[in-house]
Amino acid sequence: PIIRALRGLIETSRNPAFAAVLQGVTEDLEAGRDLSSGLSRHPKAFPAILTRMVQVGEYTGRLEEAFLQMARYLELEKETRNRLKAALRYPTFVLVAIAVAIGILSLFVIPAFQRVFAHFGARLPLPTRIILGISHFSVAYWPYLAGGIVLGIFGLRRYLATEAGRLRWDRLKLRLPLVGSIILRATLTRFARGFAMGYGAGVPLVQTLNITARAVGNEFVGGKIEQMRNSIERGETLTRSAAATQMFTPLVLQMLAVGEESGAVDTMLLEVAEFYEREVDYDLDNLASAIEPVMIVAIGAMVLVLALGVCLPVWNLISVVH
């Protein structure tokens, strides 16, 4: 039974806060609420996609399958995040190290050149003067800069908490260089699996799209799915509605068309999910090699700044002395 299973999880949980959340869910079940409602009362512990998928499982009588699919999805998400972190760890460390070096040179080394050049009545080279001006400005106004950064982060978080902010951010994520297409295909994988589970269990098409739109975890893609639902309500086919969103590849649209003709849309969508998962897996394996040229250019630009800021004064100092 669900309550007995939850109590077993409470007893074996190593996280007291999570055990308290599970205790709250258990009490909600004992009070007569369904499981999805109990989970939705703890959004910090259970993401919206989990509660929606559980709702689909409750509605279709396939709760076990819903949890198995969510386990697979969460494992894939964690693996994706770990791969992204692994790909970005070394370049990020190098960029931070160079940025620290530039900061030290700007605060301690270049001001020494300024004093030497001032002693000889000469001017520093233009690139060095620019770096020095930025350094002086940062030192003089650092409280205002720090306050502006804090206020900016706070305002951005408040904006992203609004419906318009979430929609704009979710749309922007899909357009990010290198990783945007990976995020889109991972989101479409959720859609395909959720839709296949609901539709295959006999949930009406329009209602399946409505539930899945709220379960994909992306407001922009969810809006496109709702657009598909509205088109179907007006009499369009599933394939034409999907094509109008411009989110799916021609291969996926062809598979949807075959599924409509053969009456096996859910099976075809499972194939779509596996197709996108293979693509995401391949892109993640090649993400590091795709990031390398961008990082080389960025690191080269920062090294150029160091060279112009330090080497030019040294060369000019020789001519000044002579």
Side-chain angles (χ1 to χ4, degrees):
I2 293 180
I3 294 178
R4 182 177 176 182
L6 287 172
R7 293 197 183 280
L9 291 174
I10 294 171
E11 294 173 358
T12 57
S13 176
R14 297 182 179 181
N15 189 320
F18 188 63
V21 169
L22 293 177
Q23 181 63 38
V25 174
T26 304
E27 293 173 355
D28 289 337
L29 287 173
E30 292 174 338
R33 292 190 178 94
D34 52 22
L35 182 58
S36 58
S37 298
L39 298 179
S40 64
R41 291 164 61 87
H42 306 278
K44 293 184 178 180
F46 304 105
I49 183 173
L50 173 61
T51 57
R52 296 298 183 186
M53 291 293 286
V54 169
Q55 185 180 30
V56 173
E58 289 177 323
Y59 189 88
T60 59
R62 300 164 69 178
L63 189 58
E64 180 183 357
E65 183 178 344
F67 274 112
L68 289 173
Q69 289 195 11
M70 280 308 306
R72 180 179 179 182
Y73 160 73
L74 292 174
E75 289 171 357
L76 181 63
E77 288 280 297
K78 188 176 186 303
E79 183 181 358
T80 301
R81 287 195 299 269
N82 290 341
R83 286 186 176 184
L84 287 173
K85 290 178 182 178
L88 297 175
R89 187 177 295 117
Y90 176 74
T92 302
F93 175 78
V94 173
L95 289 177
V96 170
I98 294 178
V100 171
I102 291 177
I104 293 174
L105 290 173
S106 301
L107 293 175
F108 302 104
V109 178
I110 295 179
F113 284 118
Q114 184 184 26
R115 290 191 293 270
V116 173
F117 273 70
H119 176 73
F120 286 99
R123 296 187 65 188
L124 286 168
L126 178 61
T128 308
R129 294 202 306 270
I130 293 174
I131 296 175
L132 196 60
I134 296 174
S135 173
H136 288 167
F137 178 81
S138 302
V139 172
Y141 297 100
W142 71 266
Y144 303 100
L145 293 174
I149 292 173
V150 171
L151 290 176
I153 293 174
F154 178 77
L156 181 62
R157 293 185 63 179
R158 290 288 299 271
Y159 176 69
L160 293 179
T162 63
E163 184 176 352
R166 286 195 304 270
L167 177 62
R168 182 164 294 182
W169 170 238
D170 286 343
R171 183 175 183 177
L172 178 63
K173 283 191 295 186
L174 304 180
R175 298 180 177 179
L176 291 175
L178 301 178
V179 298
S181 61
I182 298 176
I183 296 173
L184 174 60
R185 279 172 286 185
T187 304
L188 293 178
T189 300
R190 295 179 218 157
F191 158 72
R193 289 202 174 277
F195 184 93
M197 186 180 71
Y199 188 73
V203 180
L205 178 60
V206 173
Q207 189 170 356
T208 301
L209 286 171
N210 189 43
I211 295 174
T212 311
R214 299 193 298 267
V216 293
N218 186 292
E219 294 290 334
F220 179 73
V221 176
K224 293 290 187 179
I225 296 172
E226 291 179 352
Q227 178 183 330
M228 290 175 57
R229 180 202 64 194
N230 295 335
S231 298
I232 290 173
E233 289 178 338
R234 291 194 299 267
E236 292 287 349
T237 64
L238 179 61
T239 305
R240 289 182 180 177
S241 302
T245 64
Q246 299 181 347
M247 290 194 307
F248 300 96
T249 62
L251 176 61
V252 172
L253 295 176
Q254 184 179 2
M255 293 174 71
L256 285 176
V258 171
E260 279 191 302
E261 292 177 1
S262 62
V265 175
D266 53 336
T267 304
M268 290 295 102
L269 279 173
L270 287 176
E271 294 288 340
V272 168
E274 293 176 1
F275 167 75
Y276 278 133
E277 284 176 356
R278 288 192 296 268
E279 283 203 334
V280 169
D281 188 63
Y282 176 80
D283 288 345
L284 286 174
D285 288 337
N286 292 276
L287 181 60
S289 59
I291 291 176
E292 283 178 3
V294 179
M295 300 306 300
I296 289 174
V297 172
I299 293 171
M302 298 180 76
V303 171
L304 179 63
V305 170
L306 284 176
L308 292 177
V310 177
C311 295
L312 281 180
V314 174
W315 294 332
N316 291 357
L317 185 60
I318 298 174
S319 61
V320 169
V321 172
H322 288 289

